[in-house]
Amino acid sequence: MRQVTVLGSCGAFPEPGRACSGLAIEWDGPSGGPRLPLYCPPGVLDRLAGLEPDVDLRTVFDPRPLPGHHRAGPFALSGTLLPHWVDNAGIRLEADGTAIAYSGDTGPTPLLADLGRDADLFIVEATDRPGERERPDRNLMTAAEAGLWARRAHARRVMLTHFWPGNDRTAALQAPGTAFPGEILIADEDLTIPLGYPARGSA
């Protein structure tokens, strides 16, 4: 089984009946090791330790630094540092000619075109925080911008996520339409998306 399941789709804080952005990827059921690999920018475990100071989180997690390149089960994983008010690394996973990319929280940047290049599924934040486009320092994006960068990446499909609580998701679905010619999906809790279409240009 090869699929992505949406665990949460909200930005900032969850709405009733929803959760903050999260995804689960299944790919032929590879088993894990004794500790969970945690791919994250430096300092993340220290922040988590502030919440649980009496627990050594490294007994559970095996931290792997981002940005960087790693092997994650069947995937070649690469992380790209993207603009946000704290360190954020966009993630790209590749296996068997299929690429999946996830922006995480980010402002507009040409790095997104490389991150999502020819991806089967490009998962992009579309927070649409009120007044976002007028902010001098951009840390988040709109749904229209998400579609624009997915088009520049030549992604096959784009899924919008990380919605500002209370936003009209139907309007978000229409916003990238003129910019992105492929399939547009809206992240919704428990939505399952099949994977495995070869990325463009792959044999």
Side-chain angles (χ1 to χ4, degrees), residues 53-148:
D54 298 328
V55 178
D56 181 1
L57 296 175
R58 285 173 176 81
T59 62
V60 177
F61 295 111
D62 178 14
R64 318 273 176 92
L66 291 177
H69 300 275
H70 303 277
R71 194 76 203 169
F75 296 106
L77 181 153
S78 58
T80 302
L81 202 60
L82 298 176
H84 194 52
W85 67 277
V86 294
D87 286 347
N88 169 60
I91 299 293
R92 183 180 176 91
L93 300 171
E94 297 181 77
D96 292 347
T98 296
I100 309 149
Y102 176 45
S103 72
D105 295 1
T106 182
T109 171
L111 294 170
L112 288 165
D114 292 328
L115 179 70
R117 183 74 60 207
D118 295 324
D120 171 36
L121 180 64
F122 193 8
I123 305 163
V124 187
E125 76 106 305
T127 306
D128 273 324
R129 181 174 57 179
E132 181 57 38
R133 294 185 75 122
E134 287 72 48
R135 296 174 188 271
D137 297 314
R138 298 292 305 282
N139 295 313
L140 298 168
M141 291 202 302
T142 66
E145 289 169 328
L148 174 66

Side-chain angles (χ1 to χ4, degrees), residues 6-11 19-23 102-105 122-128 141-143 146 158-164 169 172 185-189:
V6 177
L7 305 177
S9 61
C10 292
C20 285
S21 289
L23 303 157
Y102 176 45
S103 72
D105 295 1
F122 193 8
I123 305 163
V124 187
E125 76 106 305
T127 306
D128 273 324
M141 291 202 302
T142 66
V158 65
M159 181 165 69
L160 308 180
T161 190
H162 198 268
F163 298 106
W164 193 254
R169 297 184 181 211
L185 303 165
I186 292 289
D188 196 20
E189 281 69 8

Side-chain angles (χ1 to χ4, degrees), residues 170-182:
T170 303
L173 181 61
Q174 303 303 318
T178 56
F180 184 69

Side-chain angles (χ1 to χ4, degrees), residues 11-36:
F13 53 89
E15 297 179 62
R18 296 189 182 275
C20 285
S21 289
L23 303 157
I25 298 178
E26 297 174 76
W27 191 274
D28 298 341
S31 58
R35 292 189 297 162
L36 294 173

